[in-house]
């Protein structure tokens, strides 16, 4: 029988979710939807020293913003909960005990100092079959002593007993079969008595099994842990339900070599986090895609193509397109360069396609930042509709369309020089009269009347129209002039021409 597809995104709440983690979540979500499966969000918070307040909320908010839906999780509930590892201590304790009882794990009392000494005395020391016989653990100590130490409250760890000289096979859907010799693995710590908590490895495997995870889709940085995970599945006797592994390629720096880091973003001016993050300890603020004015659909589209391609030349793809086209066979093994400029390009494409009302809503906070309060949403929608084709990010709508909301404070010098001649003030006065006489300011009608007047008077079309634009916009830029004057109240247009006549010094004849 085909196994039900169940995947999990399993972040540790140790800080803001990195953009690479977002891509992992996205691929999990896409794969779940494509197969009619379940998407689980599991919070891996067993390392209490690295817990950061606000990180879990940040994860939830980021996924919601991007449209990455969760079927089972802390908030969603589900039949396999709890979905937060710190609430599953009893489960882990029971499983650690099972491994100990079966002789697949052992108790070790070595102190950090003793381990350090071993490291100094033995070259390339690794706690494994070749060294464990010389260490202080339940394999080398009499059972009574082990019991006595535990009864006395001595701190210990439980280590996984890895059999030497085994070939461990990891079945990876991107990389094929990865084979490693068990000699390179150390007897990993699975549990620490000090905080009565399992380590990542144990909790991760136990939960993947109990939650019936069918595919483990995660970043390449976890590939070295996969052989250990396979051995744990075996040790528990769960080989039949071992998930398929999928290790996604690393995200690489846009320029140069190596892994993408926050520093690359700071240097080149792009965010590496989905949402703005305010570090609770340092107060440092890191920029986010949402606050920078990216659209979630654009971020999703951009991230989906970092490490996967659709096999044809499609670029702009909705979540539904991605769900229908996605396949691990088109994922690459090698790292994906984080081409943030491509991300900007995607945003430009999506901005241009977004309906004006939606854009207006996104633009309102930008207007407020520029001191524009109480703008009529219908007016804003029409204004952004005229300039959205020229914008990459939401704040660019301001750079492109600021004049819809405030009169020019200055006039572009080079345009003045080129277009404002000694005659211009007089012609602009005349234009005011023409505009005052127009009843219907719709674009085509106003255009016909104004151009008719220009040609009747024998004026230079380019000079008059550019002076008109200079007066209303402040520079020779922006959408079609009569589209602007259709939207703007006529009194405002006229007031701006009057102001320009007054403010722009007319050159000598
Ligand atoms: N908690 C791990 C992380 O933060 C999960 C890795 C995995 O998916 O197995 O990425």
């Amino acid at each position: 029988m085909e196994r039900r597809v169940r995947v999990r995104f399993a972040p540790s709440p140790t800080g803001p979710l990195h953009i690479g983690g977002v891509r992992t979540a996205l691929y999990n979500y896409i794969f779940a939807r494509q197969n009619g499966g379940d998407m689980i969000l599991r919070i891996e918070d067993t390392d209490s020293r690295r817990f950061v307040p606000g990180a879990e909320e940040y994860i939830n908010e980021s996924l919601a913003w991007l449209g990455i839906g969760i079927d089972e999780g802390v908030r969603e509930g589900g039949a396999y909960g709890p979905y937060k590892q710190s609430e599953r201590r009893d489960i882990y304790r029971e499983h650690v005990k099972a491994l100990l009882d079966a002789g697949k794990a052992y108790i070790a009392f070595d102190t950090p100092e003793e381990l350090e000494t071993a490291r100094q005395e033995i070259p390339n020391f690794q706690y494994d079959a070749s060294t464990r016989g010389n260490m202080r653990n339940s394999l080398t100590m009499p059972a009574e002593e082990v019991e006595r130490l535990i009864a006395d409250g001595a701190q210990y760890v439980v280590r996984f007993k890895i059999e030497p000289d085994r070939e461990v096979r990891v079945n990876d859907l991107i990389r094929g079969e990865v084979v490693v010799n068990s000699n390179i693995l150390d007897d990993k710590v699975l549990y620490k008595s000090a905080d009565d908590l399992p380590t990542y490895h144990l909790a991760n495997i136990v939960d993947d099994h109990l939650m019936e995870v069918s595919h483990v889709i995660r970043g390449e940085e976890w590939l070295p842990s996969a052989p250990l995970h396979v051995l744990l599945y075996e040790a528990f006797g769960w080989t039949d339900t071992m998930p398929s592994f999928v290790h996604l390629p690393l995200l690489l720096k846009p320029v140069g070599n190596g892994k993408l880091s926050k520093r690359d973003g700071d240097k080149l001016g792009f965010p590496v986090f989905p949402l703005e993050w305010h570090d609770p300890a340092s107060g440092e603020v890191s920029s986010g895609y949402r606050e920078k004015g990216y659209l979630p659909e654009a971020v999703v589209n951009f991230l989906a193509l970092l490490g996967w391609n659709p096999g044809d030349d499609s670029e702009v793809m909705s979540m539904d397109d991605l769900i229908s086209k996605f396949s691990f066979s088109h994922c690459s093994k090698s790292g994906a360069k984080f081409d943030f400029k491509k991300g900007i390009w995607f945003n430009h494409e999506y901005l241009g396609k977004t309906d004006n009302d939606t854009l207006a809503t996104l633009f309102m906070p930008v207007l407020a930042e520029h001191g524009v309060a109480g703008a009529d949403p219908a007016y804003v929608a029409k204004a952004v509709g005229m300039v959205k084709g020229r914008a990459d990010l939401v704040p660019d709508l301001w750079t492109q369309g600021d004049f819809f909301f405030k009169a020019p404070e200055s006039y572009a010098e080079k345009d003045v020089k080129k277009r404002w001649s000694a005659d211009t003030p007089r012609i602009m006065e005349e234009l005011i009269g023409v505009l005052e006489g127009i009843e219907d300011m719709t674009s085509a009608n106003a255009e016909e009347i104004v151009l008719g007047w220009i040609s009747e008077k024998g004026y230079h079309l380019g000079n008059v129209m550019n002076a008109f634009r200079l007066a209303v916009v402040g520079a020779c830029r922006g959408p079609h002039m009569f589209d602007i004057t259709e939207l703007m109240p006529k009194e405002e247009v006229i007031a701006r021409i009057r102001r320009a006549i007054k403010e722009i010094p007319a050159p000598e004849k």
Side-chain angles (χ1 to χ4, degrees):
M1 202 181 76
E2 271 289 291
R3 197 170 175 197
R4 180 170 179 82
V5 167
R6 289 178 52 81
V7 296
R8 85 303 194 268
F9 177 52
S12 301
T14 54
L17 180 59
H18 190 270
I19 200 74
V22 176
R23 186 200 51 177
T24 299
L26 176 64
Y27 282 24
N28 272 286
Y29 172 77
I30 290 174
F31 186 68
R33 285 292 167 275
Q34 183 177 64
N35 292 283
D38 307 315
M39 167 74 168
I40 304 164
L41 175 61
R42 185 171 73 220
I43 300 297
E44 301 210 324
D45 60 345
T46 56
D47 190 347
S48 51
R49 288 161 310 169
R50 293 178 60 218
F51 174 80
V52 172
E56 188 180 336
E57 294 71 18
Y58 181 95
I59 292 164
N60 291 329
E61 201 180 335
S62 301
L63 299 182
W65 179 61
L66 291 159
I68 299 175
I70 303 298
D71 301 313
E72 294 174 28
V74 176
R75 294 177 313 166
E76 296 72 14
Y80 299 77
Y83 292 91
K84 194 183 276 199
Q85 289 188 328
S86 57
E87 293 169 14
R88 298 172 64 83
R89 287 169 191 257
D90 294 347
I91 299 173
Y92 305 130
R93 228 180 265 129
E94 198 183 291
H95 283 84
V96 170
K97 185 171 180 311
L99 285 184
L100 283 171
D101 290 350
K104 312 237 161 151
Y106 60 93
I107 290 172
F109 294 99
D110 316 272
T111 62
E113 295 73 35
E114 286 163 349
L115 290 171
E116 190 46 45
T117 309
R119 262 180 231 117
Q120 277 172 10
E121 286 173 0
I122 306 167
N124 303 322
F125 173 79
Q126 172 170 279
Y127 210 119
D128 62 14
S130 71
T131 57
R132 66 169 83 105
N134 304 318
M135 307 298 289
R136 285 181 58 230
N137 55 50
S138 57
L139 303 173
T140 60
M141 293 156 73
E144 310 78 62
E145 195 182 342
V146 172
E147 272 161 38
R148 187 182 49 79
L149 280 173
I150 294 177
D152 287 353
Q155 307 257 295
Y156 64 91
V157 297
V158 174
R159 286 184 181 270
F160 188 36
K161 190 174 164 204
I162 291 193
E163 301 302 333
D165 294 319
R166 287 260 338 261
E167 287 208 326
V168 188
R169 292 166 195 280
V170 179
N171 160 28
D172 185 293
L173 297 186
I174 296 179
R175 285 150 219 276
E177 193 175 58
V178 180
V179 186
V180 305
N181 189 294
S182 65
N183 290 351
I184 66 160
L185 306 173
D186 66 333
D187 290 353
K188 274 273 175 308
V189 172
L190 303 178
Y191 168 87
K192 295 189 187 110
S193 71
D195 49 11
D196 185 25
L197 274 172
T199 57
Y200 153 75
H201 300 290
L202 183 98
N204 190 267
I205 288 323
V206 167
D207 288 350
D208 282 351
H209 172 70
L210 295 179
M211 294 180 183
E212 294 180 29
V213 168
S214 63
H215 295 76
V216 167
I217 306 169
R218 60 186 173 191
E220 184 179 330
E221 62 274 27
W222 300 100
L223 183 58
S225 303
L228 169 68
H229 294 177
V230 168
L231 290 176
L232 275 167
Y233 261 87
E234 272 185 31
F236 280 116
W238 299 333
T239 321
D240 289 351
T241 54
M242 178 123 55
S244 299
F245 290 95
V246 182
H247 290 95
L248 305 174
L250 282 179
L251 295 186
L252 304 175
K253 295 179 182 309
V255 283
N257 297 319
K259 246 170 82 176
L260 173 71
S261 73
K262 175 159 153 37
R263 219 162 337 117
D264 300 314
D266 293 343
K267 211 163 60 194
L268 298 166
F270 64 88
V272 296
F273 301 119
L275 316 178
E276 199 167 270
W277 167 254
H278 297 249
D279 189 282
S282 68
E284 190 198 346
V285 179
S286 305
S287 71
Y289 279 86
R290 182 178 63 184
E291 289 73 12
K292 281 274 178 199
Y294 285 81
L295 302 171
E297 299 83 354
V299 177
V300 161
N301 197 154
F302 166 55
L303 285 181
L305 287 167
L306 292 174
W308 167 79
N309 70 78
D312 55 30
D313 54 10
S314 324
E315 285 200 296
V316 176
M317 286 171 276
S318 65
M319 189 72 97
D320 285 344
D321 296 335
L322 295 170
I323 290 168
S324 72
K325 287 172 184 259
F326 187 77
S327 135
F328 292 130
S329 64
H330 279 105
C331 287
S332 68
K333 293 195 202 47
S334 48
K337 260 203 188 317
F338 195 81
D339 181 1
F340 69 98
K341 292 198 178 129
K342 191 76 189 187
I344 297 175
W345 178 84
F346 273 111
N347 210 64
H348 175 86
E349 294 298 308
Y350 278 89
L351 251 173
K353 293 200 308 182
T354 303
D355 72 88
N356 298 343
D357 292 324
T358 306
L359 269 190
T361 310
L362 293 173
F363 187 46
M364 285 300 184
V366 180
L367 281 179
E369 263 167 47
H370 289 281
V372 178
D376 169 22
Y379 180 89
V380 179
K382 285 187 183 142
V384 298
M386 275 187 240
V387 295
K388 66 183 181 184
R390 299 157 201 255
D392 290 334
L393 306 177
V394 172
D396 298 341
L397 296 169
W398 174 261
T399 326
Q400 297 294 334
D402 53 351
F403 55 88
F404 282 113
F405 306 96
K406 66 169 189 41
E409 277 148 17
S410 63
Y411 302 91
E413 216 174 294
K414 88 173 195 316
D415 297 330
V416 168
K417 213 169 187 172
K418 188 160 171 211
R419 303 294 187 178
W420 203 267
S421 66
D423 273 346
T424 309
R426 182 187 56 75
I427 297 173
M428 289 297 110
E429 289 287 359
E430 248 183 69
L431 172 61
I432 290 173
V434 174
L435 293 173
E436 275 170 341
I438 304 177
E439 282 284 306
D440 167 14
M441 280 297 286
T442 44
S443 183
N445 186 58
E447 177 166 9
E448 196 186 326
I449 296 172
V450 172
L451 298 194
W453 157 72
I454 293 173
S455 91
E456 186 194 315
K457 292 294 176 100
Y459 294 150
H460 184 281
L461 176 69
N463 286 347
V464 176
M465 285 308 298
N466 277 291
F468 183 14
R469 184 179 284 282
L470 197 48
V472 175
V473 174
C476 293
R477 63 173 168 93
H480 185 54
M481 196 57 211
F482 296 101
D483 290 346
I484 300 177
T485 55
E486 172 177 328
L487 179 60
M488 240 184 236
K490 191 161 83 177
E491 319 77 71
E492 174 66 16
V493 173
I494 290 171
R496 289 189 190 184
I497 301 174
R498 289 223 164 90
R499 175 141 11 112
I501 294 172
K502 219 167 75 196
E503 306 257 315
I504 303 178
E508 304 287 315
K509 266 211 190 196

